[in-house]
Amino acid sequence: MSREGIEFVSVNCPYCGESIDLAVDTSVESQRYIEDCQVCCKPMVVSVDVDEQGEPSVNVWSEDGE
């Protein structure tokens, strides 16, 4: 669901495996940041790339790279 450059994307936490929804800003082509899991509160790295159609590709991994 898009709204004003925001797309909600479901991902699985690399620590606890729970499905969580992230609000992604699709007005930015590429971004990388740290966000805490909404379930287990551990920090995960979030990488977002937005294609020409405005569709985000989101990857997450643990802060220690595993």
Side-chain angles (χ1 to χ4, degrees):
M1 164 191 259
S2 284
R3 184 180 49 152
E4 298 177 11
I6 301 295
E7 178 96 15
F8 290 92
V9 179
S10 293
V11 298
N12 291 327
C13 173
Y15 296 100
C16 68
E18 290 292 325
S19 178
I20 57 173
D21 291 329
L22 299 179
V24 174
D25 181 356
T26 57
S27 68
V28 180
E29 251 182 61
S30 182
Q31 53 190 311
R32 187 172 177 183
Y33 57 92
I34 305 280
E35 184 164 332
D36 290 343
C37 172
Q38 300 156 1
V39 177
C40 70
C41 300
K42 291 187 178 178
M44 59 186 168
V45 179
V46 180
S47 176
V48 180
D49 291 303
V50 180
D51 66 18
E52 289 102 25
Q53 289 78 34
E55 292 297 318
S57 172
V58 179
N59 292 301
V60 295
W61 59 90
S62 62
E63 193 175 34
D64 60 11
E66 293 181 14

